[in-house]
Amino acid sequence: MLILIILILDIYPCFTDLKDEVRESTPIPDAQQASEDHEQKMLHPVHNPAKAREKAAQGKAAKEEAEEVAEANKKRHLNVVFIGHVDAGKSTIGGQILFLSGQVDDRQIQKYEKEAKEKSRESWYMAYIMDTNEEERAKGKTVEVGRAHFETETTRFTILDAPGHKSYVPNMISGASQADIGVLVISARKGEFETGYERGGQTREHVQLAKTLGVSKLVVAVNKMDDPTVNWSKKRYDEIEQNMVPFLKTSGYNTKKDVIFLPISGLMGVNIDKNMDRDVCPWFSGPSFFEVLNAIEVPPRDPNGPFRMPIIDKFKDMGTVVMGKVESGSIREGDSLIVMPNKEHVKVVAIYCDEDKVKRAGQGENLRVRITGIEDEDILAGFVLSSTVKPVPAVTEFVAQLQIIELPDNAIFTAGYKAILHIHAVVEECEIIELISQIDMKTRKPMKKKKLCINSICVEKFSDFLQLGRFTLRTEGKTIAVGKVTALSGASSSA
Ligand code: GTP
Ligand code: MG
């Protein structure tokens, strides 16, 4: 059923949970100390001050140009979220990638093996690379989104290892909302695919959430192919693919263009960085996991669009530092920007991409940005660092097209219905004001006039910015609906 709604939010945004390492403030190097003019003077005693200044300016311009060329030639960056039902093997694959890319050595693996054995979780040693806190290791379940980096020939990747357990779906949403592409991990082990796929399993919920949250491409990793109940069976692999394809289609994925299936073993490291060993699996001649990731194309974004960076976290470090992913436009040191919705004008003092200080950064980059003109306590997750010329709209209500997935038992979806709204980094309680009309799924036209049910939040129309215009509604720990913003009302975007 599709319904048009107006939503009203009525409590303040709260913070989404991120893993300790993510929340931890990575130390930021000191701001540039001496001015370059000063450096120039010290190095070259000045006889003709005007000429020396001109030379210094030329030198500075050349250096900046070289830096920009270097940054422009840098490999592209993509965030990849690992999603799927609990125990499908997401953290194991993440750990294996770090091992295969040389970031974890044999000695560390032995240490994890010992620790996993002590906790009677022998087979979890690879997952321990990603699952870093005590609770996660003891239970063998990811709780908070793990983060790691690796590179292929063309691309720098940030892995976001989401939790599969249904209690931690809000954390999964925070991970998926930062991602460009998703790896849907499915366990091929007997019974495990079935449990994940059935109603109430997280395979379905994660796919629907990922699509809504802007994950445009999916790699479906059919994992545990080495398991004795599977033994690299083509029949089992085909069965999983045949079940998944119609479901992925109804979730909005074009299975020919946007989805690719791969058989792998995360635990054994098969078909990950190297092509499939034909002795292990003679029937698969497709690409390896890294080859797929290397070649994956994401929809181009407008590089000249207005700057938008939803803030996922902030901290104090020689001023205020905000973290987030650039969804539109670009940012340079010295830029004047505005923090919405509270309309605070700020100046960009420094930009950090991974561990590097950079002069400018563009779309898709995960950044830490040091700004002046605002205190960290005046910023909440879900606020948006935005261009001053065209700030992101801040609204107290909006009109949306909604697709109901599953309502809790006995729930009646009508005006006054309350749910938790997740949209980019915003998590906020909302209320349906009015059901405007029901849409006939066959004709895609409104059936009859009827209506559904804020504190202001930053959103965009889906047609203008998909990443800031798709949302999910959840109640009682379940995703009940996914939607897109079709119109804004009560917008206040003037700076
Ligand atoms: P959550 O974080 O709780 O959602 O689980 P997860 O998807 O991260 O799964 P995890 O990596 O923790 O692995 C769960 C179990 O599956 C562990 O016992 C792993 O050893 C096992 N496992 C993961 N990948 C494979 C695989 O390729 N083959 C086999 N045989 N077992 C695997
Ligand atoms: Mg995990």
Side-chain angles (χ1 to χ4, degrees):
M1 180 173 59
L2 280 172
I3 295 165
L4 286 181
I5 58 157
I6 297 178
L7 296 157
I8 287 209
L9 306 184
D10 63 10
I11 61 158
Y12 288 94
C14 53
F15 284 87
T16 47
D17 252 354
L18 286 168
K19 210 175 186 84
D20 290 342
E21 299 107 288
V22 184
R23 209 183 289 118
E24 255 170 35
S25 55
T26 314
I28 290 180
D30 284 341
Q32 273 182 326
Q33 283 161 7
S35 81
E36 278 162 31
D37 276 358
H38 180 68
E39 256 172 43
Q40 289 277 352
K41 274 184 198 149
M42 298 301 285
L43 292 171
H44 308 288
V46 178
H47 300 298
N48 178 341
K51 223 174 177 162
R53 265 200 303 276
E54 194 185 320
K55 223 173 155 184
Q58 279 169 359
K60 193 173 167 183
K63 195 173 158 209
E64 276 178 6
E65 202 176 310
E67 276 172 2
E68 287 201 5
V69 170
E71 273 163 29
N73 290 338
K74 229 162 86 170
K75 286 182 189 178
R76 67 179 182 154
H77 175 264
L78 291 178
N79 285 332
V80 48
V81 66
F82 286 11
I83 56 174
H85 194 70
V86 66
D87 281 352
K90 301 174 288 296
S91 305
T92 300
I93 300 170
Q96 183 67 259
I97 289 175
L98 296 193
F99 176 62
L100 293 172
S101 57
Q103 298 179 61
V104 178
D105 61 25
D106 288 332
R107 264 195 39 219
Q108 281 164 298
I109 294 283
Q110 281 160 15
K111 202 181 118 231
Y112 291 134
E113 270 175 335
K114 190 163 167 268
E115 187 182 338
K117 203 164 180 181
E118 280 163 11
K119 293 193 164 70
S120 305
R121 295 215 165 268
E122 280 92 331
S123 61
W124 267 263
Y125 64 94
M126 273 287 170
Y128 274 22
I129 300 172
M130 296 300 295
D131 291 338
T132 49
N133 75 42
E134 258 312 300
E135 183 190 354
E136 291 176 328
R137 289 189 176 175
K139 294 190 179 151
K141 299 208 174 357
T142 306
V143 177
E144 293 168 340
V145 176
R147 224 174 239 253
H149 304 279
F150 80 104
E151 289 189 18
T152 61
E153 260 164 54
T154 62
T155 316
R156 292 173 295 129
F157 287 98
T158 299
I159 299 174
L160 302 158
D161 174 29
H165 194 277
K166 60 175 177 295
S167 307
Y168 311 122
V169 173
N171 295 356
M172 176 272 168
I173 291 175
S174 125
S177 71
Q178 301 164 53
D180 311 283
I181 58 174
V183 173
L184 172 65
V185 182
I186 292 184
S187 168
R189 183 182 283 163
K190 193 171 177 203
E192 287 192 357
F193 162 66
E194 288 72 12
T195 319
Y197 186 61
E198 69 197 19
R199 272 188 112 74
Q202 267 51 61
T203 306
R204 284 170 187 265
E205 185 175 21
H206 281 196
V207 168
Q208 282 159 334
L209 286 169
K211 181 69 194 167
T212 317
L213 293 162
V215 176
S216 57
K217 303 270 166 153
L218 268 192
V219 179
V220 183
V222 180
N223 189 35
K224 306 198 188 181
M225 289 296 293
D226 64 290
D227 187 82
T229 64
V230 186
N231 198 18
W232 297 96
S233 152
K234 182 169 185 326
K235 194 165 160 249
R236 177 64 166 163
Y237 177 80
D238 290 344
E239 179 193 359
I240 292 171
E241 182 168 344
Q242 276 154 21
N243 272 287
M244 287 304 297
V245 164
F247 169 69
L248 291 167
K249 276 188 187 154
T250 57
S251 304
Y253 282 103
N254 178 331
T255 49
K256 291 219 165 66
K257 283 202 214 131
D258 302 333
V259 181
I260 182 157
F261 283 77
L262 283 180
I264 64 163
S265 167
L267 193 60
M268 302 296 157
V270 177
N271 201 28
I272 307 267
D273 63 330
K274 294 193 189 69
N275 285 103
M276 184 69 84
D277 182 342
R278 288 305 188 87
D279 293 338
V280 172
C281 177
W283 51 264
F284 184 77
S285 56
S288 69
F289 186 51
F290 277 18
E291 279 173 347
V292 168
L293 291 178
N294 201 38
I296 216 155
E297 297 210 353
V298 291
R301 302 177 205 204
D302 175 9
N304 303 318
F307 184 71
R308 302 274 186 269
M309 186 182 96
I311 297 169
I312 54 168
D313 208 352
K314 47 87 200 248
F315 54 88
K316 225 190 200 93
D317 181 16
M318 297 193 307
T320 302
V321 177
V322 290
M323 287 169 59
K325 179 178 151 214
V326 180
E327 295 293 4
S328 162
S330 62
I331 181 172
R332 276 170 190 274
E333 228 176 60
D335 273 358
S336 293
L337 296 173
I338 187 167
V339 173
M340 292 294 281
N342 52 348
K343 297 183 183 168
E344 298 272 9
H345 287 264
V346 296
K347 208 163 175 81
V348 176
V349 186
I351 306 166
Y352 299 90
C353 183
D354 298 333
E355 302 314 312
D356 308 326
K357 188 167 184 286
V358 294
K359 283 262 183 323
R360 64 174 291 281
Q363 294 157 44
E365 295 287 359
N366 286 322
L367 303 180
R368 281 169 293 132
V369 181
R370 182 178 289 128
I371 49 180
T372 55
I374 194 165
E375 295 300 321
D376 67 321
E377 56 261 30
D378 295 329
I379 300 174
L380 292 172
F383 282 19
V384 177
L385 190 59
S386 170
S387 119
T388 48
V389 182
K390 198 165 182 282
V392 61
V395 299
T396 52
E397 47 183 84
F398 61 81
V399 181
Q401 201 179 75
L402 203 66
Q403 179 167 16
I404 305 283
I405 297 173
E406 189 184 359
L407 286 174
D409 291 344
N410 307 322
I412 299 166
F413 195 74
T414 181
Y417 192 88
K418 289 197 173 79
I420 306 290
L421 170 81
H422 294 256
I423 186 163
H424 61 92
V426 172
V427 181
E428 178 121 5
E429 194 174 319
C430 70
E431 191 174 329
I432 308 299
I433 311 173
E434 187 177 14
L435 290 169
I436 300 171
S437 64
Q438 192 168 336
I439 295 175
D440 186 327
M441 288 296 275
K442 283 198 194 101
T443 62
R444 300 256 160 196
K445 296 219 167 80
M447 277 157 65
K448 56 182 174 183
K449 281 261 170 201
K450 216 182 153 206
K451 291 202 173 181
L452 297 185
C453 185
I454 267 190
N455 192 13
S456 99
I457 59 160
C458 300
V459 303
E460 294 272 11
K461 281 202 303 193
F462 176 80
S463 54
D464 294 340
F465 286 89
L466 10 153
Q467 292 82 2
L468 303 186
R470 326 176 196 234
F471 64 92
T472 52
L473 292 183
R474 306 190 84 240
T475 49
E476 298 171 24
K478 277 194 187 138
T479 302
I480 56 162
V482 294
K484 37 189 175 183
V485 178
T486 55
L488 306 177
S489 49
S492 68
S493 62
S494 57

